[in-house]
Structures are given as structure tokens and as C-alpha cells.
Amino acid sequence: MNIKLDSIILYVQNTDLLKLFYVENFNLKVIEEGTAWVLMNAGTINIGLHKIGDQYLEKIETGYQFDNNTKLVFEVDTDIESVRNELLSKKVEMRAIKTFENYDFWLCDGTDPEGNVFQLKCRK
């Protein structure tokens, strides 16, 4: 059996807001879109944004950000500091650039408008 990861789906409050965020900041291409669904291509994998059902949205306070255990990692082929600075200039919440001993990459985490964590990864 040959298995490969095809897509990651995030359940979100506002598909339009997050679509705009990922298209504008990461140049993802929208390949499918509906009233409660957006599928974007991110290279070798797709990222789906699925609107949370109305019965659950009614219970969410305005401005609430979800805690989750998922992180989207985007490998960049340019200077990570310049990418981080560009995102900061767009008011994207970004953390400090870091690395680990004996690790070949620089890393920098950020959050999208609903609090989903993403990471920039750049080869040293």
C-alpha cells in the first residue's frame, strides 16, 4: 500500500478571512471553493478551510481564538528575517526567529487571524 498525505483541514469561523490571509501572505492558490469550504494548494499538499457548523458558531464569543495542536509549516527559500518583517508590517502576529543545536533550519512561528499557528522554516 502506498499512502501520502493529501490535505489538512482546519475548521474555522470565517473561511473568507482566512482564505484572504493565506492567499495574500503565502501565495496559496484557491483550487476549490464553496459557501462553507475553501481548498488551497500549498505545493505538495492542500489546505482546506471548513466553516464550523452554525450550531457551534452560535456558542462562540466574538473574537475568540481556538487552542489547537496543529501547526502549518511553510518552507521559504528566501531570508526568513525579511519574510518575518514583511508579515509584521502587515500586522501578522509573529514570534522570534529561533533554531536548535545541530538543526539545519531557522524557524519562526506566527498566528493567523483565528489563532491557528503556522511556522516559517528556512534552511541555514
Side-chain angles (χ1 to χ4, degrees):
M1 175 174 21
N2 185 11
I3 298 175
K4 70 174 190 163
L5 184 60
D6 175 75
S7 300
I8 294 174
I9 298 172
L10 299 176
Y11 288 90
V12 303
Q13 299 174 65
N14 188 328
T15 55
D16 291 332
L17 175 66
L18 292 187
K19 174 186 76 172
L20 185 63
F21 177 83
Y22 286 105
V23 167
E24 285 187 354
N25 292 301
F26 297 100
N27 297 317
L28 301 187
K29 304 295 182 228
V30 175
I31 57 176
E32 186 179 313
E33 190 167 6
T35 57
W37 171 255
V38 176
L39 187 64
M40 301 170 292
N41 182 260
T44 58
I45 195 165
N46 295 321
I47 298 174
L49 305 173
H50 196 295
K51 186 175 181 182
I52 297 169
D54 290 336
Q55 68 272 32
Y56 301 107
L57 279 174
E58 295 168 358
K59 298 175 185 173
I60 299 172
E61 296 177 22
T62 303
Y64 178 80
Q65 292 190 340
F66 292 96
D67 291 327
N68 65 53
N69 61 358
T70 303
K71 182 186 288 188
L72 302 175
V73 180
F74 297 96
E75 187 168 353
V76 297
D77 61 359
T78 186
D79 176 50
I80 195 168
E81 188 170 354
S82 64
V83 177
R84 178 182 181 272
N85 288 338
E86 181 180 337
L87 290 169
L88 284 169
S89 75
K90 295 178 179 180
K91 307 295 186 227
V92 176
E93 191 174 313
M94 299 296 298
R95 298 183 189 134
I97 296 170
K98 65 182 179 184
T99 191
F100 300 100
E101 190 175 329
N102 299 320
Y103 189 62
D104 293 335
F105 294 90
W106 292 103
L107 307 169
C108 184
D109 289 356
T111 54
D112 72 19
E114 288 192 10
N116 297 298
V117 178
F118 65 84
Q119 183 174 81
L120 304 176
K121 176 180 176 180
C122 179
R123 188 168 292 283
K124 289 181 180 176

